[in-house]
Amino acid sequence: MRLTSITARLLPAALFAGLSVAGCSSDKPNPTAPGYEGLGSGGPGDPSTTRMGGEDSGVIFGVGKGSKDQGGGSAGSGIGVNAFLWRGALDTISFMPLASADPFGGVIITDWYTPPGTSGERFKATIYILSRDLRSDGVRVNIFRQVLQNGQWVDATVSETTVADIENKVLARARRMREQMQASS
């Protein structure tokens, strides 16, 4: 079979289009933690509930029907989670390199961080903002720790007090920012 010049030109485009469509699906598992209530769940942290209607319907990135800040910085903030918890979490882990931050889903993921003076240990954090309200159960932190053994990074345990300390620092920073904003109003 001999290819005509038109077929020869269209064949690469057709192959590219087919591969592009095939590349849209994935057999990879969902990396979201079990029990996480993010986008589309209808629960805390689901911005689709406000985009579908409600008191601040039509508000995008803080622009819309006006600023009705009633929920501790959450209403009209343009993000799907409490703005004070979000900013408090970012400020608390600012010393770690940021890998990903999703303000609509309320997930912050850091890259591996090696503390100064420690070469055989590294940490990674995932912070979930679970509420549109400034509440103590509105933030969950997962810390991952690895130690270097025989040239390989091996998972190690993290103290529960470390996780609780970081959650408390996030909450304290969020409260301070809310107090500062209320004092300036």
Side-chain angles (χ1 to χ4, degrees), residues 51-101:
R51 285 195 306 248
M52 299 291 191
E55 194 170 309
D56 60 340
S57 179
V59 177
I60 299 175
F61 298 111
V63 179
K65 293 185 177 182
S67 177
K68 297 183 219 170
D69 191 9
Q70 300 163 346
S74 62
S77 64
I79 63 175
V81 296
N82 182 275
F84 296 120
L85 287 174
W86 178 257
R87 190 70 230 171
L90 286 174
D91 288 354
T92 301
I93 60 157
S94 63
F95 63 94
M96 298 177 83
L98 195 61
S100 154

Side-chain angles (χ1 to χ4, degrees), residues 124-138:
K124 186 175 188 169
T126 304
I127 300 177
Y128 301 96
I129 309 299
L130 303 170
S131 176
R132 289 187 57 92
D133 299 319
L134 180 51
R135 302 168 27 139
S136 62
D137 62 350

Side-chain angles (χ1 to χ4, degrees), residues 8 14 31 35 65 99 118 167:
K65 293 185 177 182
T118 310
E167 286 177 352

Side-chain angles (χ1 to χ4, degrees), residues 2 40 47 84 95 99 104 110 121 128 130 132 157-158 170-172 174 176:
R2 184 177 162 142
F84 296 120
F95 63 94
F104 295 100
T110 69
E121 181 178 47
Y128 301 96
L130 303 170
R132 289 187 57 92
T157 59
V158 177
V170 168
L171 290 165
R176 276 196 308 277

